Amino acid sequence: MTKPDPHHHHDAVAKRLKRAEGHLRSILQMMEAHRSCLELAQQLHAVEKAISQAKKILIQDHIDHCLQDAVGELDADRQRAIDEFKAITKYL
């Protein structure tokens, strides 16, 4: 029996990375076309944000699913501590 994949949001991560990949290709084309530094910086910022969001989703998915699976069933106080940890990591 195959264990279900706990990574529920990998499709969302892949989508953001593909978007960043497309942005990178367009930035290289913009550079070849001698576009302004401002335009290049704006596009690089968009790539950076897309990758950052992909990383955030990946980490949050791991915490939400893999960590919970690893610790298993907990009493209410310990579960509350895990839930607070999950909540606070959203601010990273």
Side-chain angles (χ1 to χ4, degrees), residues 24-35 40:
L24 281 173
R25 272 194 237 104
S26 69
I27 292 167
L28 290 170
Q29 292 170 351
M30 290 171 67
M31 291 178 81
E32 290 170 1
H34 304 288
R35 300 283 290 270
L40 293 169

Side-chain angles (χ1 to χ4, degrees), residues 40-74:
L40 293 169
Q42 289 169 333
Q43 291 303 311
L44 285 169
H45 180 72
V47 169
E48 183 179 41
K49 294 297 275 184
I51 292 171
S52 178
Q53 278 300 109
K55 179 179 74 170
K56 185 175 181 178
I57 292 168
L58 180 74
I59 291 169
Q60 197 66 46
D61 189 55
H62 181 77
I63 289 169
D64 285 346
H65 303 288
C66 298
L67 176 65
Q68 192 67 57
D69 289 348
V71 298
E73 293 294 320
L74 299 172

Side-chain angles (χ1 to χ4, degrees), residues 74-83:
L74 299 172
D75 63 54
D77 288 336
R78 289 183 179 184
Q79 185 60 52
R80 191 170 21 264
I82 294 292
D83 292 342

Side-chain angles (χ1 to χ4, degrees), residues 6 15 85:
K15 184 178 178 179
F85 175 74

